[in-house]
PDB file of all heavy atoms in Angstrom:
ATOM      1  N   ALA A  18      21.740  19.394 -14.462  1.00 45.00           N
ATOM      2  CA  ALA A  18      22.164  20.826 -14.405  1.00 45.00           C
ATOM      3  C   ALA A  18      21.011  21.773 -14.463  1.00 45.00           C
ATOM      4  O   ALA A  18      21.050  22.892 -13.904  1.00 45.00           O
ATOM      5  CB  ALA A  18      23.147  21.148 -15.502  1.00 45.00           C
ATOM      6  N   ALA A  19      19.935  21.374 -15.046  1.00 47.00           N
ATOM      7  CA  ALA A  19      18.817  22.278 -15.301  1.00 47.00           C
ATOM      8  C   ALA A  19      18.355  22.921 -14.085  1.00 47.00           C
ATOM      9  O   ALA A  19      17.910  24.165 -14.071  1.00 47.00           O
ATOM     10  CB  ALA A  19      17.706  21.448 -16.045  1.00 47.00           C
ATOM     11  N   PRO A  20      18.174  22.272 -12.871  1.00 49.00           N
ATOM     12  CA  PRO A  20      17.590  22.880 -11.765  1.00 49.00           C
ATOM     13  C   PRO A  20      18.278  24.077 -11.364  1.00 49.00           C
ATOM     14  O   PRO A  20      17.804  24.999 -10.566  1.00 49.00           O
ATOM     15  CB  PRO A  20      17.641  21.740 -10.674  1.00 49.00           C
ATOM     16  CG  PRO A  20      17.589  20.570 -11.451  1.00 49.00           C
ATOM     17  CD  PRO A  20      18.382  20.878 -12.699  1.00 49.00           C
ATOM     18  N   ALA A  21      19.564  24.248 -11.721  1.00 45.00           N
ATOM     19  CA  ALA A  21      20.374  25.405 -11.266  1.00 45.00           C
ATOM     20  C   ALA A  21      19.829  26.695 -11.806  1.00 45.00           C
ATOM     21  O   ALA A  21      20.024  27.824 -11.300  1.00 45.00           O
ATOM     22  CB  ALA A  21      21.777  25.209 -11.657  1.00 45.00           C
ATOM     23  N   PHE A  22      19.087  26.527 -12.895  1.00 49.00           N
ATOM     24  CA  PHE A  22      18.539  27.748 -13.637  1.00 49.00           C
ATOM     25  C   PHE A  22      17.139  28.112 -13.137  1.00 49.00           C
ATOM     26  O   PHE A  22      16.590  29.081 -13.494  1.00 49.00           O
ATOM     27  CB  PHE A  22      18.531  27.598 -15.100  1.00 49.00           C
ATOM     28  CG  PHE A  22      19.919  27.432 -15.665  1.00 49.00           C
ATOM     29  CD1 PHE A  22      20.445  26.150 -15.876  1.00 49.00           C
ATOM     30  CD2 PHE A  22      20.757  28.514 -15.921  1.00 49.00           C
ATOM     31  CE1 PHE A  22      21.756  26.013 -16.406  1.00 49.00           C
ATOM     32  CE2 PHE A  22      21.955  28.394 -16.535  1.00 49.00           C
ATOM     33  CZ  PHE A  22      22.462  27.054 -16.734  1.00 49.00           C
ATOM     34  N   ALA A  23      16.583  27.197 -12.299  1.00 49.00           N
ATOM     35  CA  ALA A  23      15.163  27.412 -11.808  1.00 49.00           C
ATOM     36  C   ALA A  23      15.230  28.144 -10.516  1.00 49.00           C
ATOM     37  O   ALA A  23      16.122  28.096  -9.754  1.00 49.00           O
ATOM     38  CB  ALA A  23      14.503  26.030 -11.678  1.00 49.00           C
ATOM     39  N   GLN A  24      14.191  28.843 -10.236  1.00 54.00           N
ATOM     40  CA  GLN A  24      13.933  29.584  -8.967  1.00 54.00           C
ATOM     41  C   GLN A  24      13.340  28.604  -7.946  1.00 54.00           C
ATOM     42  O   GLN A  24      12.589  27.706  -8.231  1.00 54.00           O
ATOM     43  CB  GLN A  24      13.013  30.755  -9.148  1.00 54.00           C
ATOM     44  CG  GLN A  24      13.609  31.851 -10.141  1.00 54.00           C
ATOM     45  CD  GLN A  24      14.887  32.400  -9.678  1.00 54.00           C
ATOM     46  OE1 GLN A  24      15.037  32.685  -8.469  1.00 54.00           O
ATOM     47  NE2 GLN A  24      15.817  32.629 -10.600  1.00 54.00           N
ATOM     48  N   ASP A  25      13.759  28.847  -6.704  1.00 58.00           N
ATOM     49  CA  ASP A  25      13.287  27.916  -5.647  1.00 58.00           C
ATOM     50  C   ASP A  25      11.765  27.987  -5.456  1.00 58.00           C
ATOM     51  O   ASP A  25      11.096  27.093  -5.004  1.00 58.00           O
ATOM     52  CB  ASP A  25      13.989  28.255  -4.258  1.00 58.00           C
ATOM     53  CG  ASP A  25      15.441  27.978  -4.261  1.00 58.00           C
ATOM     54  OD1 ASP A  25      15.794  27.126  -5.137  1.00 58.00           O
ATOM     55  OD2 ASP A  25      16.184  28.533  -3.430  1.00 58.00           O
ATOM     56  N   THR A  26      11.222  29.163  -5.940  1.00 62.00           N
ATOM     57  CA  THR A  26       9.775  29.400  -5.769  1.00 62.00           C
ATOM     58  C   THR A  26       9.038  28.823  -6.936  1.00 62.00           C
ATOM     59  O   THR A  26       7.702  28.921  -6.941  1.00 62.00           O
ATOM     60  CB  THR A  26       9.462  30.849  -5.604  1.00 62.00           C
ATOM     61  OG1 THR A  26      10.052  31.501  -6.791  1.00 62.00           O
ATOM     62  CG2 THR A  26      10.091  31.368  -4.328  1.00 62.00           C
ATOM     63  N   ASP A  27       9.689  28.332  -7.989  1.00 69.00           N
ATOM     64  CA  ASP A  27       8.948  27.728  -9.127  1.00 69.00           C
ATOM     65  C   ASP A  27       8.129  26.567  -8.702  1.00 69.00           C
ATOM     66  O   ASP A  27       8.561  25.745  -7.952  1.00 69.00           O
ATOM     67  CB  ASP A  27       9.960  27.356 -10.214  1.00 69.00           C
ATOM     68  CG  ASP A  27      10.480  28.602 -10.915  1.00 69.00           C
ATOM     69  OD1 ASP A  27      10.098  29.729 -10.678  1.00 69.00           O
ATOM     70  OD2 ASP A  27      11.506  28.403 -11.662  1.00 69.00           O
ATOM     71  N   PRO A  28       6.901  26.391  -9.318  1.00 73.00           N
ATOM     72  CA  PRO A  28       6.065  25.240  -9.022  1.00 73.00           C
ATOM     73  C   PRO A  28       6.662  24.056  -9.618  1.00 73.00           C
ATOM     74  O   PRO A  28       7.476  24.029 -10.530  1.00 73.00           O
ATOM     75  CB  PRO A  28       4.748  25.580  -9.673  1.00 73.00           C
ATOM     76  CG  PRO A  28       5.155  26.510 -10.791  1.00 73.00           C
ATOM     77  CD  PRO A  28       6.252  27.357 -10.189  1.00 73.00           C
ATOM     78  N   PRO A  29       6.386  22.830  -9.130  1.00 77.00           N
ATOM     79  CA  PRO A  29       7.035  21.557  -9.648  1.00 77.00           C
ATOM     80  C   PRO A  29       6.616  21.472 -11.067  1.00 77.00           C
ATOM     81  O   PRO A  29       5.447  21.794 -11.466  1.00 77.00           O
ATOM     82  CB  PRO A  29       6.250  20.433  -8.779  1.00 77.00           C
ATOM     83  CG  PRO A  29       5.877  21.220  -7.497  1.00 77.00           C
ATOM     84  CD  PRO A  29       5.471  22.565  -7.902  1.00 77.00           C
ATOM     85  N   ALA A  30       7.513  20.917 -11.798  1.00 87.00           N
ATOM     86  CA  ALA A  30       7.253  20.678 -13.260  1.00 87.00           C
ATOM     87  C   ALA A  30       6.227  19.660 -13.454  1.00 87.00           C
ATOM     88  O   ALA A  30       6.087  18.638 -12.683  1.00 87.00           O
ATOM     89  CB  ALA A  30       8.571  20.336 -13.989  1.00 87.00           C
ATOM     90  N   ALA A  31       5.356  19.846 -14.483  1.00 95.00           N
ATOM     91  CA  ALA A  31       4.278  18.961 -14.787  1.00 95.00           C
ATOM     92  C   ALA A  31       4.832  17.599 -15.319  1.00 95.00           C
ATOM     93  O   ALA A  31       4.287  16.522 -15.193  1.00 95.00           O
ATOM     94  CB  ALA A  31       3.312  19.447 -15.765  1.00 95.00           C
ATOM     95  N   VAL A  32       5.989  17.693 -15.949  1.00 96.00           N
ATOM     96  CA  VAL A  32       6.700  16.551 -16.584  1.00 96.00           C
ATOM     97  C   VAL A  32       8.110  16.444 -16.128  1.00 96.00           C
ATOM     98  O   VAL A  32       8.807  17.411 -16.081  1.00 96.00           O
ATOM     99  CB  VAL A  32       6.607  16.660 -18.138  1.00 96.00           C
ATOM    100  CG1 VAL A  32       7.381  15.547 -18.767  1.00 96.00           C
ATOM    101  CG2 VAL A  32       5.221  16.737 -18.636  1.00 96.00           C
ATOM    102  N   SER A  33       8.478  15.247 -15.758  1.00 96.00           N
ATOM    103  CA  SER A  33       9.913  15.062 -15.279  1.00 96.00           C
ATOM    104  C   SER A  33      10.486  13.910 -16.095  1.00 96.00           C
ATOM    105  O   SER A  33       9.821  13.118 -16.709  1.00 96.00           O
ATOM    106  CB  SER A  33       9.930  14.638 -13.851  1.00 96.00           C
ATOM    107  OG  SER A  33       9.185  13.423 -13.553  1.00 96.00           O
ATOM    108  N   VAL A  34      11.863  13.980 -16.228  1.00 97.00           N
ATOM    109  CA  VAL A  34      12.582  13.029 -17.047  1.00 97.00           C
ATOM    110  C   VAL A  34      13.697  12.398 -16.182  1.00 97.00           C
ATOM    111  O   VAL A  34      14.369  13.097 -15.471  1.00 97.00           O
ATOM    112  CB  VAL A  34      13.266  13.694 -18.288  1.00 97.00           C
ATOM    113  CG1 VAL A  34      13.996  12.705 -19.057  1.00 97.00           C
ATOM    114  CG2 VAL A  34      12.179  14.379 -19.132  1.00 97.00           C
ATOM    115  N   SER A  35      13.748  11.130 -16.256  1.00 97.00           N
ATOM    116  CA  SER A  35      14.846  10.425 -15.514  1.00 97.00           C
ATOM    117  C   SER A  35      15.422   9.357 -16.400  1.00 97.00           C
ATOM    118  O   SER A  35      14.791   8.933 -17.411  1.00 97.00           O
ATOM    119  CB  SER A  35      14.225   9.698 -14.258  1.00 97.00           C
ATOM    120  OG  SER A  35      13.217   8.776 -14.635  1.00 97.00           O
ATOM    121  N   GLY A  36      16.576   8.945 -16.156  1.00 97.00           N
ATOM    122  CA  GLY A  36      17.233   7.964 -17.007  1.00 97.00           C
ATOM    123  C   GLY A  36      18.405   7.230 -16.320  1.00 97.00           C
ATOM    124  O   GLY A  36      18.748   7.506 -15.190  1.00 97.00           O
ATOM    125  N   SER A  37      18.975   6.280 -16.986  1.00 97.00           N
ATOM    126  CA  SER A  37      20.024   5.500 -16.435  1.00 97.00           C
ATOM    127  C   SER A  37      20.876   4.867 -17.524  1.00 97.00           C
ATOM    128  O   SER A  37      20.384   4.733 -18.658  1.00 97.00           O
ATOM    129  CB  SER A  37      19.483   4.376 -15.463  1.00 97.00           C
ATOM    130  OG  SER A  37      18.777   3.362 -16.230  1.00 97.00           O
ATOM    131  N   ALA A  38      22.173   4.566 -17.171  1.00 98.00           N
ATOM    132  CA  ALA A  38      23.014   3.851 -18.016  1.00 98.00           C
ATOM    133  C   ALA A  38      23.725   2.800 -17.193  1.00 98.00           C
ATOM    134  O   ALA A  38      24.204   3.203 -16.099  1.00 98.00           O
ATOM    135  CB  ALA A  38      23.973   4.710 -18.787  1.00 98.00           C
ATOM    136  N   THR A  39      23.851   1.564 -17.600  1.00 98.00           N
ATOM    137  CA  THR A  39      24.426   0.472 -16.766  1.00 98.00           C
ATOM    138  C   THR A  39      25.259  -0.436 -17.535  1.00 98.00           C
ATOM    139  O   THR A  39      25.049  -0.737 -18.729  1.00 98.00           O
ATOM    140  CB  THR A  39      23.282  -0.345 -16.148  1.00 98.00           C
ATOM    141  OG1 THR A  39      22.367   0.511 -15.412  1.00 98.00           O
ATOM    142  CG2 THR A  39      23.784  -1.394 -15.191  1.00 98.00           C
ATOM    143  N   VAL A  40      26.396  -0.910 -16.887  1.00 98.00           N
ATOM    144  CA  VAL A  40      27.181  -1.974 -17.394  1.00 98.00           C
ATOM    145  C   VAL A  40      26.971  -3.140 -16.406  1.00 98.00           C
ATOM    146  O   VAL A  40      27.114  -2.975 -15.205  1.00 98.00           O
ATOM    147  CB  VAL A  40      28.654  -1.623 -17.534  1.00 98.00           C
ATOM    148  CG1 VAL A  40      29.505  -2.841 -17.896  1.00 98.00           C
ATOM    149  CG2 VAL A  40      28.816  -0.477 -18.454  1.00 98.00           C
ATOM    150  N   THR A  41      26.668  -4.319 -16.957  1.00 98.00           N
ATOM    151  CA  THR A  41      26.447  -5.447 -16.114  1.00 98.00           C
ATOM    152  C   THR A  41      27.185  -6.648 -16.537  1.00 98.00           C
ATOM    153  O   THR A  41      27.428  -6.780 -17.758  1.00 98.00           O
ATOM    154  CB  THR A  41      24.936  -5.869 -16.010  1.00 98.00           C
ATOM    155  OG1 THR A  41      24.751  -6.975 -15.199  1.00 98.00           O
ATOM    156  CG2 THR A  41      24.400  -6.153 -17.451  1.00 98.00           C
ATOM    157  N   SER A  42      27.627  -7.498 -15.624  1.00 98.00           N
ATOM    158  CA  SER A  42      28.495  -8.685 -16.076  1.00 98.00           C
ATOM    159  C   SER A  42      27.641  -9.765 -16.587  1.00 98.00           C
ATOM    160  O   SER A  42      28.241 -10.766 -17.096  1.00 98.00           O
ATOM    161  CB  SER A  42      29.337  -9.142 -14.821  1.00 98.00           C
ATOM    162  OG  SER A  42      28.495  -9.537 -13.769  1.00 98.00           O
ATOM    163  N   ASP A  43      26.332  -9.761 -16.550  1.00 98.00           N
ATOM    164  CA  ASP A  43      25.433 -10.726 -17.068  1.00 98.00           C
ATOM    165  C   ASP A  43      24.081 -10.200 -17.047  1.00 98.00           C
ATOM    166  O   ASP A  43      23.531  -9.763 -16.030  1.00 98.00           O
ATOM    167  CB  ASP A  43      25.475 -12.028 -16.271  1.00 98.00           C
ATOM    168  CG  ASP A  43      24.700 -13.192 -16.838  1.00 98.00           C
ATOM    169  OD1 ASP A  43      24.259 -13.053 -18.088  1.00 98.00           O
ATOM    170  OD2 ASP A  43      24.512 -14.166 -16.245  1.00 98.00           O
ATOM    171  N   TYR A  44      23.350 -10.142 -18.174  1.00 98.00           N
ATOM    172  CA  TYR A  44      21.923  -9.720 -18.247  1.00 98.00           C
ATOM    173  C   TYR A  44      21.038 -10.917 -18.012  1.00 98.00           C
ATOM    174  O   TYR A  44      20.903 -11.775 -18.846  1.00 98.00           O
ATOM    175  CB  TYR A  44      21.704  -9.062 -19.586  1.00 98.00           C
ATOM    176  CG  TYR A  44      20.269  -8.742 -19.835  1.00 98.00           C
ATOM    177  CD1 TYR A  44      19.311  -8.493 -18.841  1.00 98.00           C
ATOM    178  CD2 TYR A  44      19.801  -8.647 -21.165  1.00 98.00           C
ATOM    179  CE1 TYR A  44      17.969  -8.178 -19.142  1.00 98.00           C
ATOM    180  CE2 TYR A  44      18.458  -8.380 -21.464  1.00 98.00           C
ATOM    181  CZ  TYR A  44      17.579  -8.221 -20.465  1.00 98.00           C
ATOM    182  OH  TYR A  44      16.226  -7.961 -20.721  1.00 98.00           O
ATOM    183  N   ARG A  45      20.372 -10.885 -16.811  1.00 98.00           N
ATOM    184  CA  ARG A  45      19.420 -11.935 -16.498  1.00 98.00           C
ATOM    185  C   ARG A  45      18.001 -11.413 -16.633  1.00 98.00           C
ATOM    186  O   ARG A  45      17.703 -10.394 -16.018  1.00 98.00           O
ATOM    187  CB  ARG A  45      19.704 -12.471 -15.036  1.00 98.00           C
ATOM    188  CG  ARG A  45      21.061 -13.188 -14.842  1.00 98.00           C
ATOM    189  CD  ARG A  45      20.953 -14.659 -15.320  1.00 98.00           C
ATOM    190  NE  ARG A  45      22.055 -15.322 -15.079  1.00 98.00           N
ATOM    191  CZ  ARG A  45      22.109 -16.568 -14.514  1.00 98.00           C
ATOM    192  NH1 ARG A  45      21.008 -17.180 -14.107  1.00 98.00           N
ATOM    193  NH2 ARG A  45      23.261 -17.203 -14.273  1.00 98.00           N
ATOM    194  N   PHE A  46      17.149 -12.202 -17.288  1.00 98.00           N
ATOM    195  CA  PHE A  46      15.723 -11.866 -17.321  1.00 98.00           C
ATOM    196  C   PHE A  46      14.926 -13.002 -16.671  1.00 98.00           C
ATOM    197  O   PHE A  46      15.003 -14.166 -17.192  1.00 98.00           O
ATOM    198  CB  PHE A  46      15.283 -11.673 -18.783  1.00 98.00           C
ATOM    199  CG  PHE A  46      13.749 -11.422 -18.885  1.00 98.00           C
ATOM    200  CD1 PHE A  46      13.209 -10.210 -18.516  1.00 98.00           C
ATOM    201  CD2 PHE A  46      12.962 -12.411 -19.351  1.00 98.00           C
ATOM    202  CE1 PHE A  46      11.866 -10.061 -18.602  1.00 98.00           C
ATOM    203  CE2 PHE A  46      11.607 -12.199 -19.531  1.00 98.00           C
ATOM    204  CZ  PHE A  46      11.055 -11.028 -19.176  1.00 98.00           C
ATOM    205  N   ARG A  47      14.377 -12.772 -15.546  1.00 98.00           N
ATOM    206  CA  ARG A  47      13.633 -13.815 -14.834  1.00 98.00           C
ATOM    207  C   ARG A  47      14.504 -15.007 -14.614  1.00 98.00           C
ATOM    208  O   ARG A  47      14.089 -16.162 -14.808  1.00 98.00           O
ATOM    209  CB  ARG A  47      12.338 -14.107 -15.489  1.00 98.00           C
ATOM    210  CG  ARG A  47      11.402 -12.895 -15.497  1.00 98.00           C
ATOM    211  CD  ARG A  47      10.125 -13.113 -16.315  1.00 98.00           C
ATOM    212  NE  ARG A  47       9.355 -11.853 -16.333  1.00 98.00           N
ATOM    213  CZ  ARG A  47       8.335 -11.656 -17.078  1.00 98.00           C
ATOM    214  NH1 ARG A  47       7.872 -12.570 -17.901  1.00 98.00           N
ATOM    215  NH2 ARG A  47       7.706 -10.475 -17.061  1.00 98.00           N
ATOM    216  N   GLY A  48      15.750 -14.847 -14.292  1.00 98.00           N
ATOM    217  CA  GLY A  48      16.649 -15.893 -13.930  1.00 98.00           C
ATOM    218  C   GLY A  48      17.531 -16.412 -15.038  1.00 98.00           C
ATOM    219  O   GLY A  48      18.490 -17.104 -14.725  1.00 98.00           O
ATOM    220  N   VAL A  49      17.171 -16.097 -16.253  1.00 98.00           N
ATOM    221  CA  VAL A  49      17.901 -16.708 -17.427  1.00 98.00           C
ATOM    222  C   VAL A  49      18.728 -15.671 -18.095  1.00 98.00           C
ATOM    223  O   VAL A  49      18.341 -14.528 -18.405  1.00 98.00           O
ATOM    224  CB  VAL A  49      16.821 -17.251 -18.413  1.00 98.00           C
ATOM    225  CG1 VAL A  49      17.567 -17.834 -19.579  1.00 98.00           C
ATOM    226  CG2 VAL A  49      15.984 -18.309 -17.765  1.00 98.00           C
ATOM    227  N   SER A  50      20.003 -16.015 -18.386  1.00 98.00           N
ATOM    228  CA  SER A  50      20.906 -15.131 -19.008  1.00 98.00           C
ATOM    229  C   SER A  50      20.547 -14.829 -20.383  1.00 98.00           C
ATOM    230  O   SER A  50      20.317 -15.821 -21.208  1.00 98.00           O
ATOM    231  CB  SER A  50      22.326 -15.683 -18.960  1.00 98.00           C
ATOM    232  OG  SER A  50      23.208 -14.810 -19.649  1.00 98.00           O
ATOM    233  N   GLN A  51      20.517 -13.565 -20.798  1.00 97.00           N
ATOM    234  CA  GLN A  51      20.278 -13.158 -22.182  1.00 97.00           C
ATOM    235  C   GLN A  51      21.588 -12.853 -22.926  1.00 97.00           C
ATOM    236  O   GLN A  51      21.521 -12.440 -24.144  1.00 97.00           O
ATOM    237  CB  GLN A  51      19.447 -11.877 -22.223  1.00 97.00           C
ATOM    238  CG  GLN A  51      18.151 -11.959 -21.363  1.00 97.00           C
ATOM    239  CD  GLN A  51      17.239 -12.969 -21.938  1.00 97.00           C
ATOM    240  OE1 GLN A  51      16.608 -12.824 -23.016  1.00 97.00           O
ATOM    241  NE2 GLN A  51      17.041 -14.104 -21.241  1.00 97.00           N
ATOM    242  N   THR A  52      22.733 -13.012 -22.289  1.00 97.00           N
ATOM    243  CA  THR A  52      24.017 -12.719 -22.840  1.00 97.00           C
ATOM    244  C   THR A  52      25.015 -13.913 -22.748  1.00 97.00           C
ATOM    245  O   THR A  52      26.173 -13.644 -22.891  1.00 97.00           O
ATOM    246  CB  THR A  52      24.630 -11.485 -22.134  1.00 97.00           C
ATOM    247  OG1 THR A  52      24.591 -11.747 -20.721  1.00 97.00           O
ATOM    248  CG2 THR A  52      23.786 -10.234 -22.466  1.00 97.00           C
ATOM    249  N   ASP A  53      24.490 -15.114 -22.615  1.00 97.00           N
ATOM    250  CA  ASP A  53      25.400 -16.246 -22.476  1.00 97.00           C
ATOM    251  C   ASP A  53      26.371 -16.055 -21.298  1.00 97.00           C
ATOM    252  O   ASP A  53      27.461 -16.426 -21.473  1.00 97.00           O
ATOM    253  CB  ASP A  53      26.053 -16.545 -23.786  1.00 97.00           C
ATOM    254  CG  ASP A  53      26.327 -18.050 -24.014  1.00 97.00           C
ATOM    255  OD1 ASP A  53      25.685 -18.790 -23.367  1.00 97.00           O
ATOM    256  OD2 ASP A  53      27.275 -18.363 -24.751  1.00 97.00           O
ATOM    257  N   LYS A  54      25.925 -15.423 -20.252  1.00 97.00           N
ATOM    258  CA  LYS A  54      26.709 -15.268 -19.074  1.00 97.00           C
ATOM    259  C   LYS A  54      27.884 -14.258 -19.398  1.00 97.00           C
ATOM    260  O   LYS A  54      29.027 -14.478 -18.800  1.00 97.00           O
ATOM    261  CB  LYS A  54      27.248 -16.539 -18.474  1.00 97.00           C
ATOM    262  CG  LYS A  54      26.104 -17.455 -17.960  1.00 97.00           C
ATOM    263  CD  LYS A  54      26.627 -18.672 -17.220  1.00 97.00           C
ATOM    264  CE  LYS A  54      25.454 -19.393 -16.639  1.00 97.00           C
ATOM    265  NZ  LYS A  54      25.935 -20.639 -15.914  1.00 97.00           N
ATOM    266  N   ASP A  55      27.615 -13.255 -20.250  1.00 97.00           N
ATOM    267  CA  ASP A  55      28.613 -12.316 -20.656  1.00 97.00           C
ATOM    268  C   ASP A  55      28.133 -10.919 -20.297  1.00 97.00           C
ATOM    269  O   ASP A  55      27.021 -10.754 -19.883  1.00 97.00           O
ATOM    270  CB  ASP A  55      28.858 -12.431 -22.121  1.00 97.00           C
ATOM    271  CG  ASP A  55      30.290 -11.962 -22.542  1.00 97.00           C
ATOM    272  OD1 ASP A  55      30.928 -11.331 -21.653  1.00 97.00           O
ATOM    273  OD2 ASP A  55      30.650 -12.202 -23.643  1.00 97.00           O
TER     274      ASP A  55
END
């Protein structure tokens, strides 16, 4: 929502923040399940 308050002429921010939230049916790390296939 933050960009709605910025002006189109504002210079790019020096710092940006990104993120994510995920639900997965099995957490695999390099092919091996970390959740017992759960």
